């Protein structure tokens, strides 16, 4: 663990790893006492979540908040930023409503609250679980000090869809990596005691399948086999449940025909039945009401009944339960017990958070002042941003830039050289900063940090910010051309606008938006070496750059410390170690493209190009595979060994490999272990990630890395929905990405 992370983890005393119980005898007893005093209206009120001062969805009716709270009609408020106002609401709830039940404030804390970290997909590229846990600890500390008790995070939707705007919120395409990151996030936010003033409840979302929306379109249809659902969608959710996530959120999409919000199979049978999870389920924004738009419920009564019976305890934003639940009970569509059970879950959460003991626990102005935006939070924001950057290409070793690099003049050029708007270098999901109005001076832009840093190294540096509006591109383009001509090295900064990343920001083209490849072509005209830095929130395609530009650094949306992290990586202070958590396609037509695909009966890789599974007009290979990322040093993998050539179902296999840093600088490598089940009862993926380890090696140093595989790693869901391992042959692969691997075979007896 690096010093910063170690310090933060120590600081917040997170060493214990115990799971938080979702109920205790004491809390249960207090809930029952309260429940007995509640009227039906008050119970339904607890199941109602209303919107605060910012909107993150479709228009919904808003009534007088204070009088609703006073009448006991509000269980929770979401997306409220104004601190003093939250105090007023809580006062209204605990002092003026009949039973004084406190409000729980929910908020989307997606990549930091006030201190903005890299987007979640970028964090996943670090493969650094300790850092991810530590940054969520900071996010929880900031959010809780500002009065939020509950985050709608982690978003654990696995996705193979770069068109989907929300792919940036998840951990990419792999269920194993996704599960480990889900655990780290839950631990980071919740700590070991939800009643501490600096911990908040998590919400694993969106349950389930949302990342597989057809056409990569938000809110769209999802249809998949139960086998695929369990194998690819569920592992991160299961990990979040096992780590004790206090709540879950269901999803907008239909899953195999049924809207998730009224999907009993996944919520009641799987999550609560099989997995024994007993937390609270909240709907997504008006997704109870939207069951009527789906055509799956006839009216508010029908919608309320169907969603409650399917396991949805709280209705976010739409107010459908308020309109329909009472009648659903009167008509015998739901039982009093079903309502009580949902209310119990809501109340239990409030007890767990300590809100009944001190409703103002999270509303202390002094704590707020002490805990927001501490300078040391920036250290982690900077180090995680640097370690999430992925070096895709570095022909001729253009990078890193050092005082002995053969240039004098460096030109920083592009729409993201020094941008101050559109939440650039961040995303839509930075609601803690406010919606559109935010203090842009908090972001360290690339130019702000790179110019002085490179000048201090003795270079002359120019900055040409290109505006992408039609009115100004012509002027800016000629300035860029001139700057490139005058320079010895061009750093071209391209990508997506921050506000184009997140919900309702799907795209039908994966090209760099607004024709930005043109900028790279233009600045390359003078035959000067060009380094392209990409700020994107999803896999994009940039074929000309891939082919022609010698160095490409994927910086994602790095957050507040964008510029400083870039200095660290571009100058070699930090040797890049990021690895792609999602496959980068060559072109849109290849989507969905993912590393853990089935072999097919006619794989092109081994059977040639004709009559095999491929395209006439494109390779089937990705531009960059899952797990890929270069370093300024090189790693040699050798001597892969197994502890045994055959194991029984009860034995554990050890797979070892030696890794040597063969270059001249120290570097961190993410060593990845995959398997392929060669003779299962059904077809199995050509590779499945089963373990990884981040190791730091000095030049010339060799480390032996050992992975352990047991029956649990070899099991899979078959078509009869049994989780089992089949005797037979397996391959094990170890390497620095999913393609360049050493392999060996063993038998499971
Ligand atoms: C809708 C989104 O799907 C969900 O992720 C989010 O938490 C809610 N809106 C609240 O903003």
């Amino acid at each position: 663990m690096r010093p910063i992370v170690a310090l933060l983890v120590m600081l917040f005393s997170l060493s214990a790893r115990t799971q938080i119980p979702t109920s205790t005898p004491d809390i249960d007893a207090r809930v029952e006492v309260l429940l007995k005093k509640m009227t039906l209206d008050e119970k339904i009120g607890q199941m109602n979540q209303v919107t605060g001062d910012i909107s993150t969805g479709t228009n919904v009716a808003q009534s007088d908040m204070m009088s609703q709270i006073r009448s006991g009609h509000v269980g929770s408020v979401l997306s409220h930023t104004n601190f003093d106002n939250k105090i007023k609401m809580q006062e209204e709830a605990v002092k003026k409503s009949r039973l004084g039940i406190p409000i729980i404030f929910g908020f989307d804390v997606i990549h930091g609250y006030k201190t903005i970290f890299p987007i979640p997909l970028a964090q996943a590229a670090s493969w650094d679980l300790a850092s991810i846990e530590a940054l969520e600890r900071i996010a929880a500390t900031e959010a809780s000090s500002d009065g939020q008790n509950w985050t709608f995070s982690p978003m654990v939707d696995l996705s193979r869809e770069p068109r989907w705007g929300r792919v940036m919120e998840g951990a990419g395409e792999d269920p194993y990596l996704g599960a480990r990151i889900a655990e780290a996030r839950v631990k980071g936010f919740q700590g070991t005691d939800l009643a501490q003033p600096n911990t908040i409840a998590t919400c694993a979302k969106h349950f389930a399948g949302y990342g597989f929306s057809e056409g990569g379109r938000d809110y769209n249809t999802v249809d998949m086999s139960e086998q695929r659902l369990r194998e690819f969608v569920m592992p991160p959710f299961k990990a979040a449940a096992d780590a004790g996530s206090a709540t879950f959120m269901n999803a907008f999409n239909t899953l195999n025909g049924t809207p998730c919000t009224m999907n009993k199979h996944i919520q009641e049978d799987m999550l609560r039945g099989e997995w024994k999870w007993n937390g609270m389920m909240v709907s997504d924004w008006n997704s109870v009401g939207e069951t009527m738009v789906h055509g799956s419920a006839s009216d508010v009564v029908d919608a309320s009944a169907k969603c409650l019976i399917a396991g949805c305890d709280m209705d976010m934003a739409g107010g459908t339960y308020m309109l329909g639940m009472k009648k659903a009970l009167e008509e015998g569509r739901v039982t009093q017990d079903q309502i009580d059970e949902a209310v119990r879950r809501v109340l239990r959460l409030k007890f767990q958070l300590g809100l009944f003991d001190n409703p103002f626990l999270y509303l202390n102005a002094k704590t707020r002042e002490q805990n927001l935006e501490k300078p040391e939070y920036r250290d982690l924001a900077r180090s995680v941003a640097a370690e999430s950057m992925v070096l895709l290409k570095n022909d001729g070793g253009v990078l890193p830039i050092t005082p002995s690099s053969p240039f004098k003049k460096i030109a920083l050029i592009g729409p993201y050289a020094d941008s101050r708007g559109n939440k650039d270098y961040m995303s839509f999901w930075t609601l803690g900063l406010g919606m559109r109005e935010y203090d842009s001076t908090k972001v360290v832009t690339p130019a702000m940090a790179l110019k002085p840093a490179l000048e201090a190294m003795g270079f002359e540096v120019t900055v040409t910010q290109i505006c992408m509006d039609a009115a100004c591109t012509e002027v800016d383009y000629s300035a860029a051309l001139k700057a490139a001509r005058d320079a010895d090295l061009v750093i071209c900064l391209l990508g997506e606008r921050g506000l184009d990343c997140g919900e309702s920001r799907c795209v039908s083209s994966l090209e760099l938006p607004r024709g930005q490849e043109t900028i790279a072509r233009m600045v390359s005209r003078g035959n000067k070496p060009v380094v392209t830095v990409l700020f994107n929130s999803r896999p994009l395609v940039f074929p000309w750059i891939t082919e022609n530009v010698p160095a490409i650094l994927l910086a994602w949306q790095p957050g507040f410390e964008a510029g400083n992290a870039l200095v660290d990586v571009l100058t070699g202070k930090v040797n890049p170690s990021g690895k792609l958590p999602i496959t980068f396609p060559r072109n849109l037509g290849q989507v969905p493209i993912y590393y853990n695909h089935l072999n097919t009966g006619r794989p092109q890789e081994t059977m040639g190009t004709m009559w095999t599974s491929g395209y006439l007009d494109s390779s089937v290979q990705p531009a960059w595979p899952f797990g890929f990322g270069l370093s300024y040093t090189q790693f040699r993998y050798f001597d892969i060994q197994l502890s045994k050539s055959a194991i029984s179902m009860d034995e554990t296999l050890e797979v070892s490999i030696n890794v040597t840093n063969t270059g001249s600088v120290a570097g961190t490598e993410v060593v990845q272990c995959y398997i392929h089940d060669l003779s299962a009862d059904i077809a199995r993926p050509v590779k499945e990630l089963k373990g990884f380890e981040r190791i730091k090696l000095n030049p010339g140093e060799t480390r032996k890395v050992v992975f352990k595989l047991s029956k649990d790693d070899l099991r899979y869901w078959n078509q009869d929905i049994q989780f089992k391992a089949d005797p037979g042959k397996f391959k094990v692969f170890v390497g620095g990405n999913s393609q360049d691997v050493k392999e060996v075979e063993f038998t499971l007896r």
Side-chain angles (χ1 to χ4, degrees), residues 428-621:
F428 160 77
W429 286 123
T430 46
L431 305 177
L433 306 180
M435 276 294 257
R436 266 155 211 276
E437 298 306 315
Y438 67 99
D439 184 354
S440 61
T441 62
K442 297 202 166 148
V443 186
V444 181
T445 69
M448 277 165 69
L450 271 169
K451 190 171 190 311
L454 294 172
E455 281 172 351
M457 287 164 71
F459 299 104
E460 282 173 41
V461 182
T462 59
V463 177
T464 311
Q465 170 67 17
I466 300 185
C467 128
M468 293 307 296
D469 297 342
C472 48
T473 41
E474 209 183 303
V475 179
D476 287 355
Y477 276 16
S478 41
L481 264 173
K482 181 170 180 328
R485 221 179 301 121
D486 292 347
D488 309 314
L489 173 79
V490 177
I491 302 180
C492 187
L493 302 109
L494 310 173
E496 287 178 285
R497 299 188 328 167
L499 279 175
D500 290 340
C501 313
E503 185 180 348
S504 195
R505 282 140 174 94
C506 303
V507 291
S508 66
S509 156
L510 294 181
E511 306 286 323
L512 269 172
R514 302 174 185 89
Q516 286 177 75
E517 272 214 311
T518 311
I519 299 173
R521 284 173 192 255
M522 205 171 65
V523 299
S524 300
R525 267 195 218 156
N527 287 330
K528 308 288 169 57
V530 175
V531 173
T532 300
V533 176
L534 294 171
F535 298 96
N536 40 304
S537 66
R538 61 184 111 218
L540 293 174
V541 299
F542 32 89
W544 191 89
I545 292 174
T546 305
E547 202 52 36
N548 298 287
V549 166
I552 306 173
L553 180 70
L554 173 64
W556 308 99
Q557 305 292 7
F560 273 2
E561 285 292 310
N564 288 325
L566 265 184
V567 168
D568 293 344
V569 173
L570 291 177
T571 64
K573 189 171 155 210
V574 172
N575 191 349
S577 60
K579 301 276 187 174
L580 295 178
I582 187 164
T583 303
F584 269 49
R586 284 167 195 264
N587 52 57
L588 176 62
Q590 289 184 319
V591 173
I593 179 168
Y594 47 96
Y595 88 94
N596 43 7
H597 58 83
L598 302 184
N599 205 24
T600 80
R602 296 188 178 196
Q604 202 167 66
E605 285 91 337
T606 49
M607 292 173 74
T609 45
M610 221 35 212
W611 313 111
T612 57
S613 181
Y615 302 105
L616 279 182
D617 60 347
S618 166
S619 154
V620 288
Q621 292 301 319

Side-chain angles (χ1 to χ4, degrees), residues 56 78 108 152 166 205-206 249 252 284-285 316 503:
T56 50
L78 87 139
D108 291 286
F152 305 126
R166 307 196 72 172
K205 69 186 187 185
H206 306 85
M249 183 188 294
F252 288 121
D284 205 339
W285 181 282
M316 179 192 285
E503 185 180 348

Side-chain angles (χ1 to χ4, degrees), residues 309-323:
I309 291 168
C312 178
D313 304 314
M314 185 180 273
D315 175 7
M316 179 192 285
T320 308
Y321 279 1
M322 290 298 284
L323 298 172

Side-chain angles (χ1 to χ4, degrees), residues 76-95:
S76 173
V77 175
L78 87 139
S79 305
H80 200 78
T81 56
N82 186 308
F83 183 74
D84 295 335
N85 216 239
K86 272 179 279 201
I87 297 179
K88 288 193 192 122
M89 289 180 197
Q90 197 66 302
E91 277 172 350
E92 204 73 15
V94 297
K95 297 186 183 150

Side-chain angles (χ1 to χ4, degrees), residues 95-333:
K95 297 186 183 150
K96 307 225 180 107
S97 75
R98 195 179 72 91
L99 293 171
I101 301 176
I103 286 172
I104 172 171
F105 291 97
F107 205 86
D108 291 286
V109 185
I110 307 298
H111 52 115
Y113 184 71
K114 291 283 184 194
T115 302
I116 302 302
F117 297 102
I119 55 168
L121 187 62
Q123 294 172 25
S126 75
W127 299 54
D128 185 344
L129 303 175
S131 287
I132 293 174
E133 181 176 335
L135 73 84
E136 297 300 28
R137 194 79 292 286
I138 290 173
T141 302
E142 289 194 329
S144 56
S145 312
D146 199 30
Q148 318 296 1
N149 332 112
W150 175 24
T151 173
F152 305 126
S153 184
M155 191 279 229
V156 300
D157 294 317
L158 181 141
S159 186
R160 302 163 171 172
E161 247 314 340
R163 288 173 293 183
W164 191 44
R166 307 196 72 172
V167 74
M168 53 85 45
E169 285 176 59
E173 73 188 28
D174 184 71
Y176 178 83
L177 179 62
R180 300 292 76 78
I181 290 178
E183 282 159 7
R185 291 196 196 286
V186 171
K187 285 178 193 161
F189 278 121
Q190 295 198 155
T192 51
D193 179 4
L194 274 185
Q196 290 301 311
N198 65 351
T199 55
I200 57 177
T202 54
C203 183
K205 69 186 187 185
H206 306 85
F207 202 59
Y210 194 23
F212 284 75
S213 298
E214 284 179 4
R217 246 172 58 210
D218 254 328
Y219 324 115
N220 206 7
T221 308
V222 177
D223 209 299
M224 66 170 72
S225 69
E226 180 80 8
Q227 194 267 337
R228 177 172 273 196
L229 181 73
R230 286 174 182 262
E231 176 159 348
F232 290 104
V233 171
M234 291 305 178
F237 284 107
K238 176 80 166 55
D242 290 346
S245 181
T247 76
F248 265 50
M249 183 188 294
N250 50 42
F252 288 121
N253 55 284
T254 53
L255 176 65
N256 301 334
T258 308
C260 287
T261 310
M262 50 181 268
N263 195 316
K264 184 168 169 299
H265 172 56
I266 55 171
Q267 299 182 104
E268 283 295 302
D269 304 345
M270 205 184 291
L271 177 60
R272 292 204 167 106
E274 281 178 46
W275 302 357
K276 310 275 176 261
W277 177 81
N278 68 348
M280 197 265 276
M281 174 71 74
V282 65
S283 79
D284 205 339
W285 181 282
N286 193 29
S287 67
V288 173
E290 285 177 16
T291 58
M292 295 181 277
V293 189
H294 281 290
S296 318
S298 52
D299 54 26
V300 289
V301 177
D302 199 24
S304 300
K306 284 175 171 160
C307 294
L308 179 68
I309 291 168
C312 178
D313 304 314
M314 185 180 273
D315 175 7
M316 179 192 285
T320 308
Y321 279 1
M322 290 298 284
L323 298 172
M325 194 61 81
K326 200 169 182 177
K327 196 139 179 250
L329 179 68
E330 285 162 9
E331 289 178 1
R333 298 284 312 277

